[in-house]
Amino acid sequence: MLITIFAPSNVHLLEIAGLRDAMFEANCKIAVGQPYEVQLVTDLGIVEESASGVKYVPDAGIRDAITACDTLIVVGPYGVPHPPNDDVARWLRKQAEEARRYGSTCTGAFLLAHAGLLKGRRATTHWQYAELLADEFPDIHLEPDRIFVRDGPVFSSAGVSAAIDLAFSLIEEDHGRDVALWVARRLVVFLQRPGGQSQFSDVLTAQMAATSPIGKVRLHILENARADLSLQRLADIARLSPRHLSRLFRADMGTSLATFVELTRIDIARRLLEDSEMPIKQIAYLAGFGSTATLRRAFCRRIGVMPMEYRSRFQTTRRDDESDSVLS
């Protein structure tokens, strides 16, 4: 199962390493089925330097990497990439046309978009560049608040470490959840990030496939935070009794439905606090909390700080990062 990773210059090395290490670990676990063969391809096939200064050697350049792959993954550079040259664009299109699936991590979405491979598709990218991608390519149905988006054979993920979540999702699709979970444990990374494992985690929608009653419930919660998420309503969606749903959900997720709903809403509020100047009242509404008081209590209980203190800490950090980028 050939996985081709295409990397432009100035990449975040974690994206390449995360993908390759996850698939290496999967190969160590796979008892039956096709193991992964992973190749790293660049334009010229020569030694490159990552954004952090670490040099890496690709397996091939585009002129040599002509074999059709099972999966094409285009990783992103630091910042917004330049449009690919004609040779790279043609190579990306040919590889994507012949692959079973293709997609991007982080700002790699820009490269796919320039090659015409995201037209009419749902997609996401790094939060910092989502608005630019939407403005530059209005034919893409952008979902900027998602860490992972799958649209048929096309996938895309948010920034940097989300490449690891992408790898887990692909491994689960190819070899089952048990293998993906084993890999996550080996790498000491959570297979799913439901918002409560770490106070700074994101809800990962990539693995919330609605193929089981619990999957349908989780996906409904993630996509309808403002809706009625009472036990009875969720039991109706799962077509189970409330008691049976509660028991199955706790066994599968290791937490109660009520806790999962609250953590999901906290995660939505957290992203809005980080990425917008919306008033707290509006954030409480969009995240599905009944009032600002309920939002504050949830934040204090789960994260340990008030919403405005959280916003102050993280927006200050981001402004400093942006100022540094402008100065550089």
Side-chain angles (χ1 to χ4, degrees):
M1 190 181 295
L2 179 60
I3 310 295
T4 295
I5 302 172
F6 176 79
S9 299
N10 202 38
V11 298
H12 273 109
L13 199 59
L14 179 59
E15 294 182 38
I16 297 172
L19 291 167
R20 295 198 69 147
D21 283 350
M23 290 171 181
F24 164 77
E25 293 289 354
N27 282 347
C28 295
K29 179 64 174 176
I30 294 169
V32 294
Q34 293 179 295
Y36 294 116
E37 177 187 352
V38 184
Q39 67 172 354
L40 176 62
V41 177
T42 61
D43 182 1
L44 302 177
I46 60 176
V47 174
E48 295 278 358
E49 187 172 301
S50 68
S52 63
V54 178
K55 291 181 172 61
Y56 60 93
V57 182
D59 299 300
I62 60 171
R63 289 164 184 79
D64 300 315
I66 57 175
T67 302
C69 62
D70 174 85
T71 305
L72 172 66
I73 306 174
V74 180
V75 301
Y78 183 82
V80 179
H82 296 296
N85 62 48
D86 291 342
D87 289 340
V88 169
R90 280 193 296 269
W91 182 85
L92 288 173
R93 285 192 291 268
K94 181 173 177 56
Q95 287 290 319
E97 288 166 3
E98 296 178 349
R100 175 169 62 100
R101 60 194 176 192
Y102 68 87
S104 61
T105 67
C106 198
T107 55
F110 283 84
L111 297 174
L112 288 181
H114 280 295
L117 294 169
L118 292 183
K119 185 175 182 179
R121 295 287 188 177
R122 295 165 49 243
T124 193
T125 188
H126 191 290
W127 64 268
Q128 192 173 0
Y129 308 108
E131 185 176 350
L132 179 60
L133 183 65
D135 290 343
E136 194 168 347
F137 299 97
D139 54 0
I140 297 175
H141 304 298
L142 194 68
E143 300 186 14
D145 60 337
R146 302 283 291 274
I147 196 170
F148 184 100
V149 171
R150 186 71 182 263
D151 186 354
V154 182
F155 52 80
S156 53
S157 72
V160 194
S161 66
I164 299 174
D165 298 298
L166 166 62
F168 291 158
S169 180
L170 298 179
I171 291 167
E172 182 174 359
E173 178 182 329
D174 297 335
H175 301 291
R177 183 174 178 81
D178 288 345
V179 173
L181 180 58
W182 187 88
V183 172
R185 287 172 175 166
R186 280 282 299 168
L187 296 179
V188 199
V189 177
F190 290 104
L191 179 62
Q192 291 175 205
R193 293 191 280 175
Q197 303 292 352
S198 166
Q199 66 183 35
F200 309 117
S201 62
D202 289 297
V203 174
L204 176 58
T205 60
Q207 298 164 35
M208 301 303 179
T211 56
S212 67
I214 300 304
K216 290 177 183 178
V217 168
R218 293 186 311 211
L219 187 60
H220 181 81
I221 292 170
L222 292 170
E223 293 184 341
N224 301 275
R226 299 198 305 269
D228 173 13
L229 299 179
S230 64
L231 177 58
Q232 183 60 60
R233 173 58 182 147
L234 295 174
D236 291 341
I237 290 169
R239 297 184 179 180
L240 298 170
S241 70
R243 183 178 179 181
H244 191 198
L245 174 61
S246 293
R247 185 167 59 251
L248 285 180
F249 194 92
R250 182 175 287 279
D252 188 71
M253 296 295 294
T255 189
S256 69
L257 262 169
T259 297
F260 185 83
V261 168
E262 183 176 71
L263 293 175
T264 298
R265 288 170 168 165
I266 287 174
D267 193 69
I268 293 170
R270 181 187 59 75
R271 292 199 300 272
L272 291 172
L273 287 165
E274 292 176 13
D275 300 342
S276 77
E277 299 293 339
M278 290 181 187
I280 297 298
K281 184 176 182 180
Q282 185 177 3
I283 289 175
Y285 167 75
L286 292 174
F289 290 98
S291 65
T292 56
T294 304
L295 170 64
R296 292 188 183 101
R297 286 195 297 270
F299 254 65
C300 286
R301 180 169 59 253
R302 300 291 182 182
I303 297 181
V305 297
M306 295 290 281
M308 288 305 294
E309 182 180 355
Y310 181 92
R311 166 177 274 173
S312 176
R313 289 182 183 181
F314 282 86
Q315 288 199 339
T316 297
T317 300
R318 285 187 176 174
R319 290 191 188 102
D320 290 343
D321 290 343
E322 290 167 4
S323 296
D324 289 344
S325 297
V326 171
L327 290 174
S328 62

